[in-house]
Amino acid sequence: MANSKYEYVKCFELEDEVMFPNIILVCINACKLHKPYDVNILKLMNSCAIAVLEEYADSILAYGFRDEYTFVFKKTSKFYERRTSKVLSIITSFFSSIFVSKWGEFFPQKELQCPPSFYGKVMACASIEALQAYFLWRQNICHLNNLYDQCFWRLVERGMNEKEARDFIKGFDKSDLNNLLFDEFHVNYSTLEPIFRQGSCVLKTMAEDIVKYRDNGAPIKRHKRKIITVHSKKIASTRFWNQQTILLKELGGFVEEINNVNPEYVRSFEFDAKLMPSTWIVVRLDGCHFHRFSELHGFLKPNDDRALNLMNSCAVAVFEEFQRDIVFAYGVSDEYSFIFKKTSNLYQRRAHKIISAIVSFFTSTYVMRWKDFFPQCELKYPPSFDGRVVCYPSTEILRDYLSWRQVDCHINNQYNSCFWKLVTSGKSKREAQHSLKGAQLQKKIEELGIDYNELPVMFRQGSSVYRDMVDNVPIHQENEESSVRYGKVIVEYIDIIGSTFWSEHPYLLHEKVVLV
């Protein structure tokens, strides 16, 4: 981050850490999964969960059903310093990336029509007993939800519309649903596939594996960690849990059986912070390990307009998806900041829902649109982004935040322009870094003969996304006249530090304007 007079805005950032010895749980849900008892969707979700456990060593267990998945981290995890925003956004982003990447494997004849998104939350289980209660609760919900889904969708397929089906089975308990399924559709619930009734448990275990063979042909075996998927009837039982060596080592064992659980007790462990009302909400996304990602995918240095335009395209998509709440966005390199109006009540201003939904939708869009910007380059592995949310109390401080990011863009671009000029002239990367250490960048640019002002404005000033107003329609809301404005979402490369742009577009940060 560049040094500037605007850096004071960092003091508004808060770190929400899960303290030791609490066990970290990341729970994610699909935002729009229309028909959750499609077995291919469930298998795709399982495949994504396996990928998460393969990618992140600290994640050792996952349980999922319908449109949700919960990931459990080992008790001693220091994953991203246990900061909940980082942990949640990275897991949600990677899951979304895998979901899009693997869609074709499970739906080869059906093209993915729109970017999927997931929202999530973090829970901190204070004990192994609390974790056991959580799993009993979720598996009970799996059973009840599946009973409902099996009845509901069969009623729809038989001719009812969705409202009629919902009204028909409203108030049914488990016994009623079981009877309906058997009497009306001749389905014995207990014969349905376990993936529906019991959910899927993805976990790391120890398994014997043949590593090589002796000269006489005899196999040499070693115990290795392996990821397996099981559909256990009772994942909260001592019998199932205490057979898993890695779970016992990393989390501890279940001492006794439990048959009942109070959901409110489990929910009490949720991080459910709500953002302060009447403040500007900023969600900032950053690419995870994008230095490696850019090198592996051959990004041009110091700037690749294809990569930047892809980021801009994703930002526009997010802007349009959350158009009632987002009023401005600013991006540079592999980061983007989204500004939510002060009156936004998106997800009741729950921080984790907002972060996860935005980063998930952005990531899904990035993967889906990759080919549009890199038609000759295959996506070699799923990218991911982390996110954070910050509240700013005044428009002046919000503008200082945006100025901070644009100053950072300017200084970093100066540095990168000099660095890659030195590298292309024959210096090693280490030599180029040493040459620029403590240097005055403006002077170095002149020495290297870089015509900085001739570089594309996007490289020098970053990208600003906003809605260009073309029409006003007055409406009345709660006895007060508001203004509903319509316009096209555009991307421009402009100075947002000075006052000119904001004077010409006063509606962007006008607190009473409703954008649709």
Side-chain angles (χ1 to χ4, degrees), residues 43-284:
K43 289 179 178 179
L44 172 54
M45 295 279 286
N46 291 350
S47 181
C48 296
I50 291 169
V52 170
L53 264 64
E54 289 174 339
E55 181 73 11
Y56 303 108
D58 282 17
S59 178
I60 59 170
L61 170 68
Y63 175 71
F65 64 93
R66 207 169 184 249
D67 58 352
E68 76 168 58
Y69 241 106
T70 299
F71 297 90
V72 184
F73 288 73
K74 62 184 182 181
K75 199 171 186 177
T76 58
S77 174
K78 295 181 181 178
F79 188 64
Y80 284 90
E81 291 75 48
R82 300 174 69 90
R83 288 176 289 173
T84 61
S85 296
K86 284 267 190 181
V87 174
L88 172 64
S89 58
I90 288 168
I91 296 300
T92 310
S93 176
F94 187 78
F95 192 96
S96 304
S97 194
I98 292 290
F99 191 96
V100 176
S101 301
K102 291 187 174 238
W103 175 270
E105 296 179 26
F106 296 89
F107 295 94
Q109 307 302 323
K110 184 187 293 185
E111 185 178 352
L112 190 57
Q113 296 297 317
C114 60
S117 61
F118 299 82
Y119 62 82
K121 61 188 175 186
V122 172
M123 299 185 69
C125 280
S127 65
I128 190 67
E129 291 78 20
L131 182 63
Q132 184 181 19
Y134 174 83
F135 280 126
L136 177 61
W137 174 46
R138 296 324 296 156
Q139 196 160 40
N140 285 343
I141 294 296
C142 166
H143 172 62
L144 184 59
N145 283 357
N146 183 56
L147 258 176
Y148 182 94
D149 287 340
Q150 296 292 339
C151 293
F152 176 83
W153 288 107
R154 281 177 170 80
L155 290 170
V156 171
E157 288 167 359
R158 195 169 67 175
M160 286 188 182
N161 62 41
E162 293 186 17
K163 183 182 184 306
E164 290 171 338
R166 276 192 294 270
D167 291 343
F168 183 78
I169 56 179
K170 185 177 180 180
F172 277 28
D173 60 19
K174 287 190 289 187
S175 176
D176 296 329
L177 292 169
N178 256 314
N179 291 337
L180 174 65
L181 199 60
F182 185 79
D183 295 339
E184 294 292 328
F185 302 104
H186 311 294
V187 174
N188 184 339
Y189 181 77
S190 63
T191 63
L192 294 175
E193 291 186 53
I195 193 173
F196 295 130
R197 294 182 288 110
Q198 294 158 193
S200 301
C201 188
V202 179
L203 56 91
K204 292 179 180 177
T205 187
M206 299 299 294
E208 258 192 353
D209 196 18
I210 298 174
V211 294
K212 61 180 180 179
Y213 292 88
R214 301 184 190 277
D215 293 339
N216 62 3
I220 298 177
K221 298 181 179 180
R222 296 282 188 274
H223 278 89
K224 287 188 174 183
R225 286 199 172 193
K226 185 179 179 182
I227 297 174
I228 61 172
T229 303
V230 297
H231 309 290
S232 173
K233 188 175 182 179
K234 292 183 178 180
I235 61 171
S237 69
T238 56
R239 179 178 181 182
F240 170 78
W241 188 270
N242 294 340
Q243 288 176 342
Q244 312 303 326
T245 308
I246 293 177
L247 299 186
L248 291 175
K249 177 185 175 183
E250 302 291 2
L251 294 169
F254 292 165
V255 177
E256 58 184 30
E257 300 290 353
I258 57 172
N259 297 313
N260 298 298
V261 61
N262 179 1
E264 293 307 315
Y265 162 72
V266 181
R267 290 194 186 100
S268 68
F269 294 104
E270 291 181 11
F271 274 74
D272 195 23
K274 288 189 177 183
L275 300 173
M276 186 179 295
S278 300
T279 57
W280 294 102
I281 300 172
V282 176
V283 175
R284 186 168 77 243

Side-chain angles (χ1 to χ4, degrees), residues 202-382:
V202 179
L203 56 91
K204 292 179 180 177
T205 187
M206 299 299 294
E208 258 192 353
D209 196 18
I210 298 174
V211 294
K212 61 180 180 179
Y213 292 88
R214 301 184 190 277
D215 293 339
N216 62 3
I220 298 177
K221 298 181 179 180
R222 296 282 188 274
H223 278 89
K224 287 188 174 183
R225 286 199 172 193
K226 185 179 179 182
I227 297 174
I228 61 172
T229 303
V230 297
H231 309 290
S232 173
K233 188 175 182 179
K234 292 183 178 180
I235 61 171
S237 69
T238 56
R239 179 178 181 182
F240 170 78
W241 188 270
N242 294 340
Q243 288 176 342
Q244 312 303 326
T245 308
I246 293 177
L247 299 186
L248 291 175
K249 177 185 175 183
E250 302 291 2
L251 294 169
F254 292 165
V255 177
E256 58 184 30
E257 300 290 353
I258 57 172
N259 297 313
N260 298 298
V261 61
N262 179 1
E264 293 307 315
Y265 162 72
V266 181
R267 290 194 186 100
S268 68
F269 294 104
E270 291 181 11
F271 274 74
D272 195 23
K274 288 189 177 183
L275 300 173
M276 186 179 295
S278 300
T279 57
W280 294 102
I281 300 172
V282 176
V283 175
R284 186 168 77 243
L285 311 184
D286 288 279
C288 293
H289 309 296
F290 254 58
H291 179 72
R292 173 176 174 264
F293 182 84
S294 65
E295 285 192 349
L296 189 61
H297 291 89
F299 284 14
L300 303 176
K301 304 295 183 179
N303 295 288
D304 191 321
D305 59 353
R306 300 170 300 174
L308 296 176
N309 285 324
L310 172 55
M311 293 286 291
N312 293 343
S313 175
C314 297
V316 170
V318 171
F319 203 110
E320 291 173 337
E321 179 73 8
F322 298 92
Q323 60 183 328
R324 292 184 177 274
D325 296 275
I326 297 176
V327 295
F328 190 80
Y330 177 76
V332 54
S333 186
D334 62 345
E335 83 166 49
Y336 240 101
S337 297
F338 296 94
I339 315 302
F340 291 72
K341 60 186 180 183
K342 294 181 79 170
T343 55
S344 172
N345 197 36
L346 181 67
Y347 298 124
Q348 294 75 52
R349 296 178 77 91
R350 287 187 169 89
H352 287 169
K353 273 199 170 186
I354 292 173
I355 293 171
S356 53
I358 298 298
V359 74
S360 173
F361 189 84
F362 189 98
T363 306
S364 297
T365 305
Y366 192 97
V367 177
M368 288 184 69
R369 297 189 179 182
W370 173 265
K371 274 295 184 184
D372 296 340
F373 296 87
F374 292 87
Q376 307 303 321
C377 179
E378 201 68 39
L379 192 59
K380 295 177 172 58
Y381 69 89

